Amino acid sequence: MKAQAFGKKRQGLKRGGTFGRSGSAPASSAIPPQPEPDLDQLGADAPPAPQNMAVVSAVDLLASIAESMLKDHFTADELRMSSKAEVSKKLGGLVERLMRSEEADLSEQEQKDLVTYLLNEAESNIGPIGDVVQDAAPKQDANRQTLFEAKTRIQAMLMEHIDPAAAAELPRHELADQVGEVVGELLVQEKINLNLTEQRDLVTLLLDDMLGLGPLEPLLADDTISDIMVNGPKQVYVEQRGKLTLTDVHFRDNQHLMNIAQRIVTAVGRRVDETSPICDARLADGSRVNVIAPPLAIDGASISIRKFTKDKITLDKMLDFGSITAPLAKLLKIAGACRLNILISGGTGSGKTTMLNALSRMIDKGERVVTIEDAAELQLQQPHVVRLETRPPNLEGQGEVTMRDLVKNALRMRPDRIILGEIRGGEAIDMLQAMNTGHDGSMGTIHANRPREALTRLENMVNMAGLHLPAKAIREQIAGSLDMIVQVQRMRDGGRRTTHVTEVVGMEGDVITTQDLFKFEFTGEDESGRLVGHFHSTGVRPHFLTKAEYFGLDRALMEAMNG
């Protein structure tokens, strides 16, 4: 067996009847070359051949067994955290154990070769070993690079041939026809050779820059992408199926990126520049946008877009995704229908707004709902919804309308329910007062990692209002207003799951008492890397059972709890 090419399939060494050698050439170290036997000596020389073949079979057998055990002994994360020396040592131990169990006798060189083969197999089939430095960005293919070079040369000349004001009023398909004709002439004039498909792609890129959001348009059109993160003109990440991926999308320069950012925020009457470098906005489809510009963003403007899915996510769809189970889905539906005051807690990108949208579907169509957000992103399906949005100050520092101002005003608008997109400051006290004064069924979201932490954060936010209330008074207000906390979490496999459904029961001394109704327990992960666990009911009697009985849902609630 040759160590330098051992087990490397790309170099022509294939696993077959014999281990570590091609089908045509025998390996040198494992099987010494045999002289051609003399016919007269054939009987005497016959035994060594089966002995050599037995050695090869033993190596081949151990390789096959060890290879099938690799995924049981190593995960991708374990390999990434280890050095090759550590992995080789573990593989050496595995080979020794297999030699004992299979009663195989391998030479020291054969053992080393087998470990090398298994090391290569682990790296190719499970993941890289050690901290591998990734490329800064994926390389663009030659055709795409040619297209961008053509766009750079053509764009300035195109703007000289068209009237931007008139172009803005034309439907996109008519403008595309006209731009296509001009682009065809300019390509001939500049002696740029593009085929018809490339010309159509070039016209699309130009129209995206003229009418849309430039390089971001293909990403916005991709339904598998949930988040777009622009870190300067040359680096754009996306989140697909819960995993971050670096794309080959880029902007011409910092000014091109700032022009796109300005186009986004001016559409909703806001601005972003050096004097006001931070801005929250939204796209036409309701997707949430945050922009932070230089000098605060050192490497160029940063744009974060949280896309909205075209298909509305319901509790039933979450059930199909494995985010919740059927009994838990029934419990959440009953909680929404019974007009419980619900706080949805979770980290960034954990699915708080998605859960809020799903729970809001249980609101009766005859109720008047007022939503209050920094950047409007809720998608309520009820016919009677009033959407309110905060406003930043103008250049003179005047005209700011805070979330607390809107909550106070909403109380005068005869709402049945008030929904806050996110509770993050002094508006918490106004929201609690609304929940406790006839606006049952109100909802909101908060950033916290566990239900108990959500209560602590809510208490701290009440203090941000500057009312200087005693801690016990704040906790009594929370305990008397809030009914349930739904904890959502984005796990390391990219999936979102509801990890806790917790009831706020009341007070014991100075402490808010709670009880878990449902919990998610992690048990491991499957072969694809997806985390495995189960949702289970704690079996306690829900504190809101009396309220469920009032709405005729007590039997359904107990069925959900008994799962």
Side-chain angles (χ1 to χ4, degrees), residues 245-559:
T245 308
L246 183 61
T247 70
D248 61 356
V249 173
H250 68 267
F251 296 80
R252 289 193 305 275
D253 48 34
N254 280 317
Q255 189 56 50
H256 184 205
L257 176 55
M258 278 302 298
N259 290 342
I260 297 299
Q262 290 282 9
R263 188 175 298 174
I264 292 173
V265 301
T266 53
V268 291
R270 300 190 177 186
R271 63 188 180 85
V272 60
D273 50 36
E274 288 190 1
T275 59
S276 179
I278 300 176
C279 183
D280 287 317
R282 65 181 184 280
L283 301 181
D285 65 353
S287 297
R288 186 177 69 197
V289 183
N290 174 267
V291 179
I292 180 165
L296 301 187
I298 297 172
D299 299 320
S302 174
I303 302 176
S304 304
I305 301 176
R306 173 69 51 80
K307 284 179 59 182
F308 269 4
T309 55
K310 294 179 181 177
D311 296 331
K312 304 296 184 291
I313 303 296
T314 64
L315 291 172
D316 292 332
K317 287 188 177 179
M318 289 184 184
L319 182 60
D320 296 335
F321 297 154
S323 298
I324 55 178
T325 55
L328 178 52
K330 179 183 283 190
L331 174 72
L332 293 175
K333 290 178 180 178
I334 293 170
C338 290
R339 297 178 62 91
L340 298 190
N341 294 321
I342 301 173
L343 187 64
I344 300 167
S345 167
T348 301
S350 58
K352 298 186 298 296
T353 304
T354 302
M355 176 60 76
L356 186 55
N357 279 323
L359 286 176
S360 70
R361 296 178 69 87
M362 304 311 298
I363 297 176
D364 189 89
K365 296 187 183 300
E367 297 182 25
R368 176 177 170 85
V369 183
V370 177
T371 69
I372 303 170
E373 303 170 82
D374 276 331
E377 56 178 327
L378 291 174
Q379 295 177 309
L380 272 64
Q381 305 302 306
Q382 285 67 27
H384 198 169
V385 177
V386 181
R387 303 169 72 208
L388 306 179
E389 187 177 60
T390 60
R391 185 177 71 186
N394 59 19
L395 283 170
E396 292 77 28
Q398 304 296 319
E400 179 181 15
V401 179
T402 66
M403 191 170 283
R404 191 170 185 196
D405 296 330
L406 293 178
V407 173
K408 289 178 180 178
N409 188 77
L411 295 174
R412 307 186 189 105
M413 297 172 64
R414 198 260 173 219
D416 289 306
R417 303 195 194 211
I418 299 175
I419 296 181
L420 260 67
E422 183 178 341
I423 302 172
R424 61 177 70 180
E427 68 274 3
I429 183 62
D430 300 297
M431 185 65 180
L432 292 173
Q433 288 177 341
M435 289 177 170
N436 210 13
T437 53
H439 302 93
D440 292 341
S442 295
M443 304 179 192
T445 71
I446 191 170
H447 278 83
N449 294 323
R450 297 186 67 81
R452 178 60 64 177
E453 292 177 23
L455 294 174
T456 303
R457 286 211 69 211
L458 195 60
E459 182 181 343
N460 293 337
M461 289 175 186
V462 171
N463 286 322
M464 292 170 66
L467 300 178
H468 306 293
L469 296 173
K472 186 174 182 181
I474 296 173
R475 291 169 188 167
E476 286 177 347
Q477 181 81 17
I478 294 173
S481 305
L482 199 58
D483 295 311
M484 180 177 287
I485 300 171
V486 178
Q487 182 72 39
V488 292
Q489 183 179 342
R490 180 173 66 173
M491 307 226 166
R492 60 183 174 85
D493 63 349
R496 277 87 168 170
R497 293 175 180 83
T498 301
T499 59
H500 294 80
V501 175
T502 303
E503 263 192 308
V504 179
V505 177
M507 292 281 293
E508 281 188 10
D510 291 343
V511 179
I512 301 174
T513 57
T514 62
Q515 65 178 15
D516 291 330
L517 299 182
F518 273 86
K519 293 175 67 176
F520 175 78
E521 289 189 355
F522 165 73
T523 56
E525 61 180 274
D526 58 19
E527 293 180 355
S528 64
R530 182 176 172 83
L531 299 185
V532 177
H534 61 273
F535 301 84
H536 73 92
S537 167
T538 58
V540 300
R541 181 180 183 274
H543 187 66
F544 73 97
L545 183 60
T546 305
K547 201 167 192 178
E549 186 177 359
Y550 172 73
F551 285 91
L553 296 171
D554 52 323
R555 185 181 301 175
L557 175 58
M558 292 312 298
E559 287 176 358

Side-chain angles (χ1 to χ4, degrees), residues 11 34 53 97 105 107 111 123 143 188 205 217 219 242 246 278 336 341 365 489 520 536:
Q11 298 185 18
Q34 300 291 324
M53 290 303 293
R97 290 194 298 274
D105 186 17
S107 68
Q111 292 181 43
E123 197 159 22
N143 292 338
V188 173
L205 289 175
E217 284 293 334
L219 305 180
L246 183 61
I278 300 176
N341 294 321
K365 296 187 183 300
Q489 183 179 342
F520 175 78
H536 73 92

Side-chain angles (χ1 to χ4, degrees), residues 73-86:
H73 284 72
F74 301 100
T75 65
D77 286 337
E78 287 173 344
L79 289 182
R80 187 165 54 86
M81 301 297 175
S82 305
S83 65
K84 288 199 174 184
E86 292 172 330

Side-chain angles (χ1 to χ4, degrees), residues 133-152:
V133 178
Q134 301 291 335
D135 293 335
K139 294 181 179 179
Q140 294 182 341
D141 57 64
N143 292 338
R144 190 171 178 84
Q145 186 64 34
T146 301
L147 206 59
F148 279 112
E149 291 173 358
K151 175 176 173 285
T152 302

